[in-house]
Amino acid sequence: MKLQSSPIQKVQFEGYSFYLKRDDLLHPDFSGNKARKLYYFFQIPLKIKKVISYGSMQSNAMYSLAVLAKMKGWQFEYHTRINEELLQNPKGNLKAALEKGMKIIDIGHLTMDIGEKNLLSECKIIDDTLIVPEGVRCKEAEYGIKILAQEIIEWANEKNIEKLNIFLPSGTGTTALYLQKTLSSVRCPMSNVYTVPCVGDKEYLKKQFFALEADEKFHPTILEPPKRYRFGKLYEELFEIWLNLKKQTGVEFDLLYDPIAFSTILSNLQCLMSNAFLYIHQGGVLGNITMEERYKKKFATIS
Ligand SMILES: *Cc1c(COP(=O)(O)O)cnc(C)c1O
């Protein structure tokens, strides 16, 4: 399978007009930035039979790995702290991943701190097993993100865009980093990649950048959100941004990263809108089912 290049459309939000790269439409099953990051493993023949990874029970990476494994005929074993209630009544990414044959393994009994391990930034092959770190933060991700960068360059050249500001929210920062790195190596368009840390703080994100790329000149520009948001926590104003995005652009965005991104964009308009502006929709809408339920339960008045 070869992924077709994803479309770019013009949208308007809060009176500002900008471009939107629809990586959520990359492929019906294999989409968003996890598909970009895993594309290497998709394209390069590997003598493996099994994939192992770990992370949260609703993660987008988990679902994309399940799709990859199924397409390749590999077994997929996912290690997580099992929430029994969720497992009895799976939804969203979990349901879809289980349907693709994912085997789930409980690490809830482990008392060790896996915080340090979370900085593992390598994919490893041991015997016939591929081990993928949480969030697919590894060098192999560069392969697919280069293709994303090339699609953007081609489009910008066609449109005669000389200066481009690109924004995408970060978890591990892998996508933003490799995008900036690839774009830095071409002269036209002059592109600046901006991002916001959604999972940790600015220092955490900087650390992640350095784990993948020692040369700071390839690092994206980090903007900070107007206030500190804890990842996965519910904030009424973020839900409102998400609803407004849907209403004004007609596009469903993801509920975890995109609202933090847009609250950051709205507080940095002067800087960001000084050139042509491109936002990258990185998928993840399958995770919205459970997030939306939580939001509606917590804030009964909003709909
Ligand atoms: C995983 C993910 C991100 C974060 O990507 P990183 O490469 O880890 O920074 C952002 N948005 C969505 C929708 C994601 O699924």
Side-chain angles (χ1 to χ4, degrees), residues 107-119:
I107 53 166
H109 58 284
L110 299 179
T111 50
M112 64 169 184
D113 179 14
I114 57 167
E116 270 302 300
K117 278 221 173 104
N118 275 350
L119 274 174

Side-chain angles (χ1 to χ4, degrees), residues 66-293:
V67 172
L68 173 73
K70 173 94 183 186
M71 284 171 160
K72 288 286 194 178
W74 300 332
Q75 293 168 38
F76 176 39
E77 202 177 278
Y78 190 71
H79 296 243
T80 187
R81 290 178 195 277
I82 289 187
N83 169 332
E84 273 303 326
E85 213 180 297
L86 257 176
L87 192 59
Q88 293 311 317
N89 184 19
K91 289 174 190 157
N93 282 320
L94 180 65
K95 180 166 184 268
L98 289 168
E99 282 167 4
K100 298 274 174 200
M102 174 178 75
K103 189 175 163 206
I104 196 163
I105 290 174
D106 192 17
I107 53 166
H109 58 284
L110 299 179
T111 50
M112 64 169 184
D113 179 14
I114 57 167
E116 270 302 300
K117 278 221 173 104
N118 275 350
L119 274 174
L120 174 72
S121 53
E122 261 186 309
C123 290
K124 282 189 175 162
I125 295 179
I126 299 176
D127 299 328
D128 60 0
T129 302
L130 169 69
I131 302 168
V132 178
E134 182 172 16
V136 201
R137 90 193 80 200
C138 55
K139 300 224 184 303
E140 289 81 354
E142 186 171 8
Y143 178 94
I145 295 164
K146 261 191 182 156
I147 298 171
L148 166 64
Q150 279 151 7
E151 288 175 21
I152 294 172
I153 294 164
E154 243 168 66
W155 163 82
N157 285 334
E158 241 166 61
K159 289 242 164 211
N160 282 321
I161 293 171
E162 284 172 9
K163 282 188 167 181
L164 184 62
N165 289 340
I166 301 173
F167 196 103
L168 69 169
S170 281
T172 67
T174 311
T175 314
L177 176 86
Y178 285 131
L179 187 60
Q180 178 71 81
K181 190 180 169 189
T182 309
L183 291 171
S184 294
S185 65
V186 289
R187 296 216 54 198
C188 213
M190 297 278 289
S191 320
N192 250 321
V193 175
Y194 293 89
T195 192
V196 59
C198 296
V199 173
D201 58 10
K202 196 172 173 171
E203 284 64 45
Y204 159 85
L205 188 56
K206 202 71 198 158
K207 229 189 216 171
Q208 292 289 339
F209 288 163
F210 275 115
L212 294 168
E213 173 58 56
D215 191 343
E216 208 173 348
K217 79 166 191 271
F218 294 126
H219 292 189
T221 306
I222 302 175
L223 298 177
E224 285 181 285
K227 83 175 211 205
R228 187 83 188 261
Y229 293 112
R230 277 199 47 204
F231 190 66
K233 237 187 117 186
L234 308 182
Y235 299 88
E236 193 163 0
E237 72 267 25
L238 293 184
F239 193 58
E240 264 162 19
I241 288 179
W242 181 80
L243 288 170
N244 288 336
L245 276 166
K246 195 144 102 175
K247 219 181 284 168
Q248 295 177 32
T249 67
V251 176
E252 179 172 354
F253 285 80
D254 126 282
L255 251 168
L256 277 169
Y257 297 88
D258 289 331
I260 298 176
F262 277 94
S263 87
T264 308
I265 292 168
L266 291 174
S267 56
N268 288 280
L269 284 167
Q270 259 193 335
C271 149
L272 293 172
M273 298 292 169
S274 57
N275 296 320
F277 183 74
L278 176 72
Y279 186 84
I280 302 181
H281 189 320
Q282 302 186 87
V285 290
L286 201 50
N288 284 354
I289 302 166
T290 43
M291 280 297 284
E292 212 179 336
E293 270 182 16

